[in-house]
């Protein structure tokens, strides 16, 4: 771990200790915006970690920003840090100014995309976006919409279009936004905008899951060493050791896959690398959460135990921005395009012709 990464981890650890206790998490799950936590992150520049220095950001390297995101997920910080990171990267790619405050991302359905209409030189947004992360609670929403058949990236006020909010399994808000000629604050064309939004989201969720998986493993190891049965800690039993070893293997593989995707996506998301990460990390999330709860027995399912703050996020995040099967399908299609003669080179280099697959 580099010095910068260590400093970031230490900073997030401190912020989590000061502003993210059990009460803060429970209040966030009831719909209360964690203003002190978000402000503490903003005060040290972490909320703008993916904004380049030339655009007013702190100038962090992308892998350092992702290390901060991973640690935030380790602590289950109930804030839209991943969404803000993804939105900022999309805005920078489109040449738009990154607004201050929390950001989220949204798009319509595949058959009913959001639409932009220009009248008298003014752009208006129409359509419905469902299950928008932290929708209605952010300063601005970055959307992918169509204007005369061309994909555009647009920015609207964070309160625009808000209808109702549900919760994912982790208790995080997922809103329905219904735009009826909503005012557009800024817009610009962005090639592969819809696909890039899905890739950015999948990459962020992959990194977050590695953080939550690491914390779940720590909980399981600690509990196995503390829980005594038949006169000795259950960690001394071979069956429990085997379970922990399997979980550790999944955590290591997930971390490697996510690191690979981060490395390949520093400037722009690499669809193949993201496909590997989201599918492999998603698999590890499911198996890892299962083992963690098995090690804890019934204790791991109670609200009083801290394990659920991590495992509920693993279960929720693995299905967002495309589940395992979706991204595995992208890899299969890439291999089919490459063909048998170039399959080994494809596997060794993870380079293949660009695939224009709907995200």
């Amino acid at each position: 771990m580099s010095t910068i990464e260590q400093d970031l981890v230490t900073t997030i650890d401190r912020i989590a200790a000061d502003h993210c206790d059990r009460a803060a998490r429970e209040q966030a799950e009831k719909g209360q915006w964690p203003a002190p936590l978000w402000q503490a992150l903003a005060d040290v520049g972490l909320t703008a970690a993916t904004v380049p220095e030339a655009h007013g950001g702190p100038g962090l390297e992308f892998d350092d920003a992702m290390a901060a995101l991973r640690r935030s997920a380790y602590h289950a910080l109930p804030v839209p840090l991943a969404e803000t990171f993804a939105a900022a990267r999309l805005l920078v790619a489109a040449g738009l100014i990154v607004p201050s405050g929390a950001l989220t991302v949204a798009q319509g359905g595949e058959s009913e995309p959001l639409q932009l209409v220009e009248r008298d030189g003014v752009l208006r947004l129409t359509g419905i976006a469902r299950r928008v992360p932290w929708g209605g609670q952010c300063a601005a929403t970055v959307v992918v919409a169509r204007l005369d058949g061309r994909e555009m990236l647009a920015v609207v006020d964070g309160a625009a279009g808000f209808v109702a909010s549900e919760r994912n399994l982790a208790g995080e808000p997922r809103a329905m936004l219904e735009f009826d000629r909503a005012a557009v604050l800024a817009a610009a064309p962005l090639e592969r905008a819809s696909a890039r939004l899905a890739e950015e989201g999948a990459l962020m969720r992959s990194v977050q899951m590695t953080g939550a998986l690491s914390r779940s493993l720590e909980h399981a190891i600690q509990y196995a060493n503390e829980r005594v049965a038949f006169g000795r800690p259950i960690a001394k039993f071979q069956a429990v050791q085997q379970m922990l070893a399997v979980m550790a293997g999944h955590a290591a593989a997930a971390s490697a896959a996510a690191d690979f995707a981060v490395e390949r996506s520093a400037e722009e998301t690499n669809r193949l690398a993201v496909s590997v990460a989201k599918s492999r990390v998603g698999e590890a999330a499911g198996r890892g959460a299962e083992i963690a709860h098995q090690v804890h027995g019934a204790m791991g399912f109670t609200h009083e135990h801290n394990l659920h703050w991590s495992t509920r996020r693993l279960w929720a995040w693995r299905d967002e921005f495309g589940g395992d099967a979706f991204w595995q399908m992208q890899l299969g299609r890439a291999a089919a395009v490459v063909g048998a003669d170039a399959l080994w080179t494809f596997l060794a280099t993870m380079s293949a012709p660009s695939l224009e697959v709907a995200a």
Side-chain angles (χ1 to χ4, degrees):
M1 183 180 294
S2 68
T3 302
I4 293 178
E5 284 189 19
Q6 185 59 60
D7 289 343
L8 289 169
V9 167
T10 301
T11 299
I12 293 174
D13 289 348
R14 173 181 56 79
I15 291 174
D18 292 342
H19 301 286
C20 192
D21 57 9
R22 171 177 288 273
R25 291 193 183 98
E26 291 178 343
Q27 289 169 0
E29 290 197 6
K30 293 177 181 178
Q32 180 175 328
W33 173 252
L37 172 59
W38 182 262
Q39 189 58 52
L41 293 169
D43 287 344
V44 295
L46 282 172
T47 57
T50 57
V51 181
E53 190 173 8
H55 293 258
L60 281 177
E61 297 292 337
F62 183 59
D63 58 344
D64 292 330
M66 292 301 95
L69 180 62
R70 181 178 305 195
R71 196 64 177 182
S72 75
Y74 172 93
H75 288 292
L77 301 188
V79 288
L81 198 60
E83 292 78 6
T84 300
F85 284 180
R89 279 179 40 102
L90 291 169
L91 290 169
V92 170
L96 295 173
I97 295 175
V98 180
S100 59
L103 307 174
T104 189
V105 293
Q107 59 182 327
E110 186 176 344
S111 59
E112 296 182 348
L114 299 177
Q115 298 289 340
L116 290 171
V117 177
E118 184 175 2
R119 292 181 181 176
D120 300 325
V122 178
L123 284 176
R124 298 283 179 174
L125 177 67
T126 299
I128 298 176
R130 292 179 171 82
R131 296 195 65 78
V132 178
W134 300 88
Q137 294 195 24
C138 294
T141 304
V142 177
V143 305
V144 172
R146 290 187 174 274
L147 176 63
D148 299 329
R150 179 177 57 171
E151 282 197 329
M152 303 281 289
L153 197 71
V155 183
V156 296
D157 185 90
F162 179 78
V163 175
S165 182
E166 300 176 352
R167 300 272 158 180
N168 66 6
L169 189 60
E172 297 172 317
R174 297 294 182 260
M176 182 173 78
L177 305 182
E178 185 173 354
F179 302 105
D180 183 13
R181 302 182 70 248
V184 173
L185 305 178
L190 178 63
E191 187 178 355
R192 299 180 61 252
S194 180
R196 287 192 64 164
L197 186 152
E199 291 161 11
E200 291 284 359
L203 176 59
M204 300 298 165
R205 288 290 184 264
S206 298
V207 172
Q208 288 180 295
M209 283 190 286
T210 61
L213 190 59
S214 174
R215 188 70 180 106
S216 299
L217 178 60
E218 288 183 8
H219 278 308
I221 293 173
Q222 179 180 354
Y223 184 80
N225 281 297
E226 293 175 348
R227 178 72 169 90
V228 175
F230 304 106
R232 57 177 176 164
I234 63 173
K236 298 295 184 180
F237 290 91
Q238 187 174 7
V240 175
Q241 292 175 352
Q242 171 67 13
M243 293 166 66
L244 291 173
V246 170
M247 185 178 178
H250 278 291
S255 181
D259 288 345
F260 172 71
V262 167
E263 179 184 350
R264 290 292 184 96
S265 302
E267 299 298 327
E268 179 180 341
T269 49
N270 181 299
R271 190 172 183 83
L272 289 173
V274 170
S275 299
V276 170
K278 191 59 163 66
S279 56
R280 184 62 186 91
V281 178
E283 178 186 355
R287 189 71 180 106
E290 175 187 345
I291 292 174
H293 282 283
Q294 288 176 333
V295 170
H296 282 78
M299 180 62 70
F301 287 93
T302 66
H303 188 72
E304 289 74 17
H305 197 281
N306 288 329
L307 177 64
H308 73 92
W309 299 117
S310 298
T311 54
R312 284 191 295 131
R313 281 167 169 76
L314 289 173
W315 285 321
W317 290 341
R318 67 178 180 177
D319 293 328
E320 295 182 341
F321 296 102
D324 306 356
F326 174 83
W327 291 105
Q328 289 164 0
M329 188 180 298
Q330 310 312 302
L331 290 173
R333 289 177 176 175
V337 168
V338 168
D341 291 342
L343 181 60
W344 177 253
T345 301
F346 164 67
L347 294 174
T349 65
M350 287 308 297
S351 60
S354 175
L355 297 180
E356 295 301 327
V357 180

